[in-house]
């Protein structure tokens, strides 16, 4: 029914009610007057006592008439009020089709809010008997402001008022705008000085979900976010006990997952899913695929399943090569993992016994999917109870609480991958938290991302050494949202001792940001500043350097493993991480050449990785550990390769070219600067830690001198002649230094 039609019907009902009440009032008065007249028809025959009774009755009847008048007036006022409020309830939102009426301040568009002004004008003109001269002259009142706050005005002024005061400061939610309201919906708190409550009403917002009134806009935004985090959306507006909204189905790497609408809020949901961690998941898939080429089948554990997306991708890509176990301590997350397994047409196992099969029809090519085991227990408990070949830890925050349990029963030559998302402590924003969790003293530096990686690897190495195990780092990645480290486990006290020796302290100069790992030894050095290549301590007064750590001082990348990861990424069509893997390969070899030969593992004859000989499939064994097999050829090749690897290990840390640029000079392009450094005889490459970072074995002094040599002045004029001459002198000095070094 149209809104105008509703107004006419309500107005007609008001008029009819008025007429009926007037007729009833007249009839009541007539009856009250006629009744005493009948009793007074014959007064001569009555006694004086009867006459007194008649007068008393007349007074009582007169009192009843007055009471009846008051009652009818009250009823009339209540009826009019109900008739006026009813169209207001029906006209809250002219564009809404939901069964629940929303407040008048909740609209979809500004045009709907402007229409509301015309509707309110019609209601006022219909109710009031005397026409307002402002309204008759074309002036319209604001539908969200009382008359004492905003008087009736013409259309253009009302349009500006609605747009600037109500619409611009509105809060948006699912296509609706909750505009600010000045109507007397909620009273303002009483003044502290006054004893009486003020009759003035304050500006506020009306919640579209729970009908609450909120005063401030920031509080309203937080109020709506809390509803969203709880899974309460517009469908819950009509009832407080309405069922939760339907699940959302997302797809990633041919894997469908079912999540709640609030999946992006880790503290408020049971099924946390972060789409920004896609690179992390693809790197883990490639790591597991490389390990699956060495031995089959693999027992893999996703200790923190959440939605189960990680384990489902393992099963879909690798098939029967892996036996996947997805664990989570939360009961709701376990239920979500079951649903996602059925959604992807996979079998579910509980306590190593098959629970049920998917009811849907299995398509062709999907019969080889393995059964996934789903467990509900603490991550530390399941890693203490069972042994695995591959363990992935991805808790919310730091992972140091689970490292001891991870290395407790992991098999020899297995892989442990650790994802840490406590970025504030790792990236030196909360240094006291880093000291508490990792036992490291750190400061904010230009190489803070690599500092975070080496801090996590040091914590992993100490946890492995406590279990008489050593580690070899396969790769370490630090991006915006996470730090990922993958290590291979080597059992025995000797690898454990070698691992502990690579945990050292770092000496960092706070003036020039030069850095060097502290030399091994138990003897106290008289002047540790001598280890720094810079001379800041001799030219500056006071202490100029700090000691950071303990940190991992070994290599962060394994070239052979990264090459096989790149091959698996191409084979499985994981295009998102191929560029990252190529950058990691250049960084591992410390070279700028980007020519990669992508081939299968079978073309690597006796390739050594992490002390392990990876042989071709025709060989007798897939992997051999040093000291386990006594072959003279293998031992000789192993010694030679170890020497080559120790000499070719990438240099630690990197320099930011912008951080060390000369003021007033235009520095060269980054790729050209890399060529200049390589021509000077230094190893150089780019790094994934910093897009403007340069990893090189050149000292900072030579780095700055080459940068200044190939930089050009910003402008050339009379004022810049002195700077140009100074630059020429510095270049001449630099050339002399190069000549002396070459001699």
């Amino acid at each position: 029914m149209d809104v105008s039609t509703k107004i006419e019907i309500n107005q007609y009902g008001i008029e009819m009610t008025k007429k009926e009440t007037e007729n009833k009032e007249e009839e009541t008065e007539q009856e009250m007057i006629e009744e005493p007249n009948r009793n007074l028809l014959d007064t001569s025959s009555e006694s004086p006592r009867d006459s007194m009774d008649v007068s008393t009755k007349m007074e009582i009847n007169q009192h009843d008439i007055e009471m009846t008048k008051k009652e009818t007036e009250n009823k009339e006022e209540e009826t009019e009020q109900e008739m006026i409020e009813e169209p207001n309830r029906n006209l809250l939102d002219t564009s809404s089709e939901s069964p629940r009426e929303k407040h008048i301040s909740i609209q979809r568009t500004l045009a709907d809010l402007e229409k509301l002004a015309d509707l309110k004008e019609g209601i006022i003109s219909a109710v009031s008997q005397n026409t307002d001269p402002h309204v008759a002259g074309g002036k319209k009142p604001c539908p969200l402001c009382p008359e004492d706050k905003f008087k009736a005005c013409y259309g253009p002024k009302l349009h500006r008022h609605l747009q600037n005061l109500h619409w611009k400061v509105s809060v948006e939610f699912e296509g609706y705008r909750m505009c600010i309201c000045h109507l007397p919906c909620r009273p303002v708190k009483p003044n502290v000085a006054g004893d009486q409550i003020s009759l003035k009403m304050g500006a506020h917002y009306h919640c579209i979900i729970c009908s609450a009134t909120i005063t401030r806009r920031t509080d309203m935004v937080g109020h709506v976010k809390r509803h969203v985090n709880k899974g309460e959306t517009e469908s819950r507006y009509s009832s407080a006990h309405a069922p939760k909204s339907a699940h959302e189905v997302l797809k990633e790497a041919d894997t469908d997952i079912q999540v709640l609408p609030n999946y992006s809020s880790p503290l408020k949901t049971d099924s946390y899913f972060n789409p920004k961690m896609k690179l992390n998941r693809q790197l883990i898939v490639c790591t597991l695929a490389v390990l699956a080429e060495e031995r089959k089948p693999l027992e893999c554990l996703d200790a923190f399943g959440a939605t189960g997306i990680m384990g489902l991708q393992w099963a879909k890509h690798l098939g029967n090569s892996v036996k996947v176990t997805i664990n989570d301590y939360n009961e709701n997350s376990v239920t979500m993992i079951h649903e996602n397994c059925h959604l992807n047409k996979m079998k579910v196992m509980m306590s190593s016994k098959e629970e049920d099969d998917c009811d849907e029809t299995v398509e062709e090519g999907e019969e080889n999917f393995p059964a996934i085991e789903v467990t509900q227990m603490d991550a530390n408990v399941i890693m203490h109870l069972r042994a695995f070949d591959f363990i992935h830890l991805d808790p919310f925050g730091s992972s140091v609480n689970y490292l001891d349990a991870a290395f407790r029963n992991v098999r020899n030559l297995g892989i442990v991958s650790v994802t840490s998302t406590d970025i504030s402590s790792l990236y030196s924003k909360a240094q006291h938290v880093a000291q508490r969790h990792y036992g490291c003293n750190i400061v904010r530096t230009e190489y803070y991302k690599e500092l975070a990686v080496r801090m996590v690897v040091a914590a992993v190495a100490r946890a492995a050494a406590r279990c008489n195990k050593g580690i070899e780092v396969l790769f370490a990645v630090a991006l915006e949202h996470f730090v990922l480290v993958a290590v291979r486990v080597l059992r025995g006290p000797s690898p454990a001792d070698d691992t502990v020796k690579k945990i050292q302290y770092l000496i960092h100069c706070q003036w020039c940001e030069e850095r060097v790992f502290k030399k091994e030894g138990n003897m106290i050095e008289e002047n540790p500043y001598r280890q720094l290549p810079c001379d800041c301590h001799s030219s500056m007064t006071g202490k100029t350097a700090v000691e950071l750590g303990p940190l991992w001082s070994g290599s962060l990348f394994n070239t052979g493993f990264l090459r096989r990861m790149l091959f698996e990424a191409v084979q499985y069509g994981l295009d998102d991480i191929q560029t990252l893997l190529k950058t990691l390969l250049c960084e591992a070899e410390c070279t700028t050449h980007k020519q990669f030969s992508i081939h299968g593992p079978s073309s690597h004859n006796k390739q050594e990785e992490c002390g392990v000989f990876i042989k071709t499939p025709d060989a007798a064994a897939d992997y051999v550990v040093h000291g386990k097999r006594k072959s003279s050829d293998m031992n000789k090749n192993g010694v030679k390769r170890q020497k080559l690897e120790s000499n070719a290990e990438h240099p630690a840390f990197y320099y930011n070219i912008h951080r060390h640029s000369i003021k007033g000079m235009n520095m060269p392009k980054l790729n050209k600067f890399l060529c200049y450094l390589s021509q000077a005889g230094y190893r150089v490459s780019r790094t994934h830690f910093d897009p403007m970072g340069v990893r090189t074995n050149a000292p900072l002094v030579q780095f700055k001198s080459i940068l200044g040599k190939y930089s050009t002045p910003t402008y050339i004029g009379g004022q810049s002649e002195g700077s140009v001459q100074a630059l020429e002198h510095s270049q001449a000095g630099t050339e002399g230094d190069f000549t002396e070094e070459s001699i």
Side-chain angles (χ1 to χ4, degrees), residues 49 74 510 568:
R49 185 176 181 179
N74 294 334
Q510 291 185 315
E568 299 295 341

Side-chain angles (χ1 to χ4, degrees), residues 374-385:
V374 181
T375 59
Q376 181 184 354
M377 61 181 70
D378 187 82
N380 287 322
V381 174
I382 189 173
M383 288 187 291
H384 273 286
L385 292 177

Side-chain angles (χ1 to χ4, degrees), residues 322-337:
V322 293
K323 294 180 180 179
V324 181
T325 302
I326 305 177
N327 175 74
D328 203 287
Y329 188 70
N330 195 323
E331 183 178 358
N332 296 331
S333 297
V334 173
T335 304
M336 185 72 67
I337 294 171

Side-chain angles (χ1 to χ4, degrees), residues 380-397:
N380 287 322
V381 174
I382 189 173
M383 288 187 291
H384 273 286
L385 292 177
R386 297 173 52 184
F388 294 96
D389 298 293
F390 182 87
I391 296 176
H392 176 61
L393 300 177
D394 187 9
F396 178 68

Side-chain angles (χ1 to χ4, degrees), residues 632-705:
S632 59
D633 296 335
M634 291 167 56
N635 290 334
K636 290 179 181 179
N637 293 332
V639 172
K640 291 180 180 179
R641 288 190 179 90
Q642 281 185 345
K643 290 182 180 179
L644 291 175
E645 286 182 358
S646 61
N647 294 331
E649 185 175 303
H650 65 83
F653 301 110
Y654 55 90
Y655 300 104
N656 187 289
I657 188 173
H658 280 291
R659 195 71 172 262
H660 301 285
S661 60
I662 303 173
K663 186 177 180 180
M665 305 289 288
N666 289 331
M667 61 182 182
K669 297 294 183 180
L670 183 58
N671 292 332
K672 290 184 178 180
F673 181 68
L674 296 179
C675 296
Y676 298 150
L677 279 175
S678 61
Q679 290 174 4
Y682 297 106
R683 299 176 62 196
V684 63
S685 71
R686 301 188 67 171
T687 175
H688 81 282
F689 293 113
D690 189 355
M692 298 304 295
V694 177
R695 184 180 294 277
T696 178
N697 59 346
L700 183 59
V701 177
Q702 300 298 330
F703 184 89
K704 287 183 176 180
S705 63

Side-chain angles (χ1 to χ4, degrees), residues 61-128:
N61 292 332
Q62 186 66 25
H63 180 70
D64 293 339
I65 291 171
E66 293 177 358
M67 293 297 294
T68 306
K69 284 184 179 181
K70 292 181 180 179
E71 291 178 0
T72 54
E73 289 177 358
N74 294 334
K75 290 182 179 179
E76 182 179 353
E77 292 177 357
E78 292 176 359
T79 306
E80 291 181 359
Q81 187 67 22
E82 290 178 359
M83 291 298 181
I84 293 173
E85 290 178 356
E86 184 176 357
N88 285 335
R89 298 191 195 101
N90 296 331
L91 299 174
L92 293 179
D93 189 3
T94 58
S95 62
S96 177
E97 298 178 355
S98 61
R100 171 89 177 189
E101 295 98 350
K102 302 175 181 61
H103 191 262
I104 193 173
S105 62
I106 302 173
Q107 300 294 335
R108 283 187 179 273
T109 59
L110 180 60
D112 295 335
L113 195 60
E114 293 175 351
K115 289 179 183 178
L116 200 61
D118 297 333
L119 297 176
K120 188 172 182 180
E121 176 194 351
I123 295 171
I124 295 173
S125 62
V127 174
S128 61

